[in-house]
Amino acid sequence: MSNAAFSTLAEFRACLKAGPKLDSGSMKAAEARNGQLTKPPGALGRLEDIAIWYAGWRGTDRPSLDNPQIIIFAANHGVTAQGVSAFPAEVTAQMVLNFEHGGAAINQLADCFGAKLDVHALSLDTPTADFTKSPAMSEAEVVDALATGWKAVDPAADLLVTGEMGIGNTTSAAAILTALFGGDGSVWTGRGTGVDDTGLDNKTRVVNEGVTLHATSDPLEILRCLGGREIAAMAGAIARARSEGIPVILDGFICSSAAAVLHRVAPEALDHAIAGHLSAEGPHADVLSHLGKEPLLNLGMRLGEGSGAALAIGVLKGAIACHSGMATFAEAGVSDG
């Protein structure tokens, strides 16, 4: 694994803006191949679009998807002291053990689609600070979390999914999105693990207090002041994937908050990413709208762990299999009309 190419937020910002673009020649060649396959034009719908997009990032008109990587980042949040979650903070560490022992949904989905699964727990014994009282992280802490994500990506992977575990992180994600996109915290705050109406009102209060306290428009400062280590790590991993030409499937609400930080720094930073699914966490649809991403799946999922994006690996695998494996009209001896 490569060392991180940055040691400050300013250097990370520069890395993000300097990332490569897709191979337009390979994309055009993939479009040409798609037009010759034994099917009516457009008959496979979005499968055609995502296969061509994937080909552009992999630098070949006939790609394969053989080495997907799923990374789960776990961290704890000091803001849980405000009573924002229906579950205690101890659940984060308990679920990390469950991931490591193969007992979670993401383990089954990773096995199902042949993905390598890695789990990184970030300083679980040291939660971030309560962002209603002080910044969640120092610059050194957020840079360290970004670097953890960056270094966790396997350069040999040909697809990346990032997932998370962190009690309280829907509150952190809602605060990030409120600061990035504006509006009252009620617009971006959902029920997370299932808080009742009183709990939702409390979460909204906490989000508004945090955003008011840390009044900044700098996306990376928003991440530092309101985010969590696992959210920063996902941002670092998504950024590293782009630097390596590895396509990304984004997961749900919390992963999308990490992606939104990158998007606000440099909109092109998410050109290598597609949205795996629409989460049942209410504000997720609005996040994807801001990112210009249309989800592949809408199954009412809100588990996190990267589960929705992992399931979408199957959709992308199917798209690539059809694109690269189908015969052309000439090869099959079929009249193309």
Side-chain angles (χ1 to χ4, degrees), residues 1 69 71 73 118 120 147-154 237 240:
M1 301 296 173
Q69 181 185 20
I71 312 175
F73 299 103
D118 297 306
H120 292 263
T148 295
W150 182 279
K151 291 183 284 188
V153 176
D154 183 353
R240 172 70 185 288

Side-chain angles (χ1 to χ4, degrees), residues 270-287:
L270 295 183
D271 287 351
H272 69 311
I274 55 174
H277 77 125
L278 177 63
S279 168
E281 186 75 355
H284 190 214
D286 290 335
V287 184

Side-chain angles (χ1 to χ4, degrees), residues 19-334:
K21 301 183 185 301
L22 60 73
D23 183 335
S24 59
S26 294
M27 191 168 184
K28 289 177 181 177
E31 288 174 342
R33 172 174 172 76
N34 181 63
Q36 299 166 17
L37 298 178
T38 47
K39 59 177 178 55
L44 288 176
R46 288 187 66 198
L47 293 185
E48 300 180 19
D49 297 333
I50 60 176
I52 293 167
W53 161 82
Y54 184 85
W57 279 100
R58 296 308 292 165
T60 173
D61 67 331
R62 203 166 180 172
S64 61
L65 203 177
D66 305 308
N67 299 300
Q69 181 185 20
I70 300 171
I71 312 175
I72 299 177
F73 299 103
N76 278 318
H77 294 253
V79 77
T80 56
Q82 298 286 334
V84 295
S85 177
F87 289 84
E90 291 80 7
V91 170
T92 302
Q94 292 165 1
M95 281 302 298
V96 167
L97 289 175
N98 195 29
F99 299 144
E100 292 173 346
H101 294 158
I106 191 60
N107 298 97
Q108 319 321 313
L109 293 168
D111 288 347
C112 183
F113 297 112
K116 174 188 176 185
L117 176 63
D118 297 306
V119 181
H120 292 263
L122 288 82
S123 303
L124 295 186
D125 293 334
T126 309
T128 53
D130 178 350
F131 65 61
T132 66
K133 302 183 183 303
S134 67
M137 293 173 280
S138 66
E139 177 163 349
E141 287 172 330
V142 73
V143 168
D144 184 65
L146 287 163
T148 295
W150 182 279
K151 291 183 284 188
V153 176
D154 183 353
D158 51 16
L159 181 71
L160 177 68
V161 166
T162 63
E164 42 61 39
M165 179 63 214
I167 296 301
N169 62 12
T170 57
T171 303
S172 184
I176 289 170
L177 294 166
T178 302
L180 288 175
F181 298 126
D184 185 79
S186 60
V187 174
W188 299 104
T189 305
R191 295 184 184 274
T193 51
V195 296
D196 59 16
D197 288 347
T198 300
L200 182 60
D201 288 343
N202 182 51
K203 282 182 71 174
T204 301
R205 172 192 64 80
V206 168
V207 166
N208 284 330
E209 285 186 11
V211 172
T212 299
L213 179 63
H214 309 292
T216 177
S217 60
D218 182 331
L220 295 180
E221 276 297 294
I222 288 169
L223 176 64
R224 181 181 77 83
C225 292
L226 299 169
R229 291 185 178 92
E230 80 279 39
I231 297 176
M234 286 192 290
I238 293 167
R240 172 70 185 288
R242 182 165 179 263
S243 77
E244 299 286 349
I246 300 171
V248 169
I249 301 180
L250 300 175
D251 193 45
F253 180 67
I254 299 157
C255 177
S256 295
S257 74
V261 170
L262 304 179
H263 183 263
R264 289 304 293 265
V265 174
E268 67 276 11
L270 295 183
D271 287 351
H272 69 311
I274 55 174
H277 77 125
L278 177 63
S279 168
E281 186 75 355
H284 190 214
D286 290 335
V287 184
L288 294 182
S289 178
H290 278 277
L291 300 182
K293 304 293 183 185
E294 183 180 354
L296 295 177
L297 301 171
N298 183 358
L299 299 173
M301 299 173 68
R302 58 179 182 86
L303 178 61
E305 304 178 4
S307 54
L311 189 60
I313 293 173
V315 177
L316 183 56
K317 274 182 170 272
I320 294 165
C322 288
H323 176 86
S324 297
M326 286 176 67
T328 65
F329 283 102
E331 290 167 345
V334 174

